[in-house]
Amino acid sequence: MAAADKGKKAKVAEEGGSPSPWPSTASPELLQSFSKLQEIQDQLEKINVKASDEVLVLVQNFNVLRKPILVRRNEVIGTIREFWSTALITHPILGDLFSEEDKKILQHMSSLEVEEAKDVKSGYSIIFNFSPNPYFEDEKLIKTYCFNEEGKLSIMCQPIKWKDGKGTTDGNVHDKGGKRPYTSECFFTWFSETVKRDGRVDQIAEIIRDDLWSNPLRHFQEEVDAMDLYGEAEGEGDKGLGGGNEGAEEDEDGDDEEVEDDDNKEYNEKDGDGEEEDIGEDEDDGDTDADTDEDE
């Protein structure tokens, strides 16, 4: 039987087909089990492909439902000063990428958007919107990730149009006249990179898309809790959220003054007690003098 199997393999090879993937030394019973198992796997694969197609349709439908809600979310976020820059800087992973100069640039960031391709599987774009600023001419910094039918990734972005003296690197060339030193981990350097480092998937983009964009309030809230910005908003009035911790420092100074006032009050009360005692003694002296006069 084994010889017959070998002959069958040879015949398949001669006809230009693929040889059997199963070991030639396998018993007929084992070969039959392998064959049945392969049929089952083929059936599962067909179901998996169908499921993937239907999941994409569902994702597309839910993206349509999310769109008006995301628009409303952006409108509310627009009322909170420096919301996106704060959420980015306080993110436990992304925050490590920002230099002090990057943080100054982010103060001019007005909003962030993640736009999915209509068919979802083709890719997405990450968009940073900026108000007019002294650093670059661009109002939008866009980085797009595209996947072809084979799933191969390509990255597209436009070089940042830096203003004179404010240039950074575009990932390849460093302007020696620029004020900012070249660092490979600079966030805006990443924004101009079109090649995956070490062939790995761009984790920064995945974090922005899957974590920060999905729930930015979580990371902004961590900053609120850490700096007690709500309490500061009450004390500072028009500064609102994200305005820094100057109010907290003033409150601390105020507390110190109150403590000093309490000490002065206690000290004055003690002095007052002393003065009352002196007055009493004077009155006694006056009575004594009066008695002396009467005696005379």
Side-chain angles (χ1 to χ4, degrees):
M1 189 70 179
D5 291 335
K6 289 181 180 179
K8 187 176 181 180
K9 277 182 161 184
K11 185 177 180 181
V12 171
E14 289 175 359
E15 293 175 355
S18 300
S20 172
W22 317 124
S24 59
T25 56
S27 66
E29 293 79 8
L30 186 57
L31 288 172
Q32 187 176 10
S33 297
F34 283 154
S35 179
K36 290 180 178 179
L37 183 58
Q38 185 62 57
E39 291 177 1
I40 294 172
Q41 287 300 133
D42 291 341
Q43 292 175 5
L44 287 174
E45 186 61 27
K46 291 179 181 180
I47 295 175
N48 291 338
V49 171
K50 184 178 180 180
S52 297
D53 293 338
E54 293 187 3
V55 166
L56 286 176
V57 173
L58 283 174
V59 172
Q60 293 170 8
N61 292 337
F62 278 104
N63 282 344
V64 173
L65 295 176
R66 289 190 187 99
K67 191 169 183 178
I69 300 175
L70 290 173
V71 171
R72 286 166 49 200
R73 188 180 76 173
N74 284 341
E75 291 174 353
V76 175
I77 286 176
T79 65
I80 305 174
R81 190 165 67 89
E82 298 181 11
F83 178 91
W84 283 111
S85 60
T86 302
L88 281 162
I89 292 171
T90 57
H91 190 280
I93 299 176
L94 297 176
D96 293 337
L97 301 178
F98 298 107
S99 66
E100 291 302 317
E101 192 72 7
D102 289 333
K103 295 176 182 179
K104 294 178 182 178
I105 297 175
L106 286 177
Q107 291 178 357
H108 301 277
M109 180 179 174
S110 58
S111 64
L112 181 149
E113 302 173 61
V114 175
E115 291 185 355
E116 301 280 353
K118 290 184 178 180
D119 63 354
V120 181
K121 63 181 180 180
S122 295
Y124 59 95
S125 296
I126 296 175
I127 305 169
F128 283 67
N129 297 300
F130 286 84
S131 59
N133 63 82
Y135 295 96
F136 45 73
E137 302 291 345
D138 308 85
E139 294 182 358
K140 295 178 179 287
L141 300 182
I142 305 174
K143 193 165 187 178
T144 302
Y145 296 81
C146 298
F147 298 90
N148 60 18
E149 295 181 355
E150 288 76 28
K152 185 177 179 181
L153 172 65
S154 60
I155 303 174
M156 297 182 294
C157 59
Q158 294 293 328
I160 299 175
K161 299 176 183 177
W162 294 98
K163 294 183 178 180
D164 293 340
K166 299 294 184 180
T168 182
T169 176
D170 60 1
N172 298 308
V173 180
H174 178 221
D175 180 7
K176 293 182 179 179
K179 295 182 179 181
R180 306 181 70 228
Y182 174 81
T183 55
S184 60
E185 295 301 325
C186 169
F187 179 78
F188 291 95
T189 299
W190 163 83
F191 222 105
S192 300
E193 289 177 338
T194 58
V195 179
K196 295 181 294 181
R197 299 177 187 175
D198 303 326
R200 294 176 296 178
V201 176
D202 194 328
Q203 295 180 350
I204 296 175
E206 289 184 342
I207 292 171
I208 293 175
R209 177 196 184 193
D210 300 332
D211 183 20
L212 182 66
W213 173 249
S214 63
N215 187 2
L217 182 60
R218 173 175 55 198
H219 301 291
F220 183 83
Q221 186 67 40
E222 292 175 358
E223 179 69 2
V224 171
D225 294 340
M227 299 182 66
D228 193 23
L229 296 183
Y230 285 115
E232 176 195 339
E234 295 175 359
E236 293 296 319
D238 59 352
K239 283 191 175 182
L241 298 181
N245 60 353
E246 293 86 359
E249 293 176 356
E250 292 179 4
D251 290 342
E252 291 177 0
D253 294 338
D255 293 341
D256 293 341
E257 291 176 3
E258 291 178 4
V259 172
E260 292 176 1
D261 291 341
D262 291 341
D263 292 341
N264 291 335
K265 182 178 180 182
E266 183 177 357
Y267 176 78
N268 292 333
E269 288 177 351
K270 290 181 179 179
D271 289 345
D273 295 341
E275 291 175 359
E276 290 177 358
E277 291 176 358
D278 293 340
I279 292 172
E281 290 176 357
D282 292 341
E283 290 177 351
D284 292 341
D285 292 341
D287 293 342
T288 303
D289 293 340
D291 294 340
T292 304
D293 294 338
E294 289 178 358
D295 291 341
E296 291 176 355

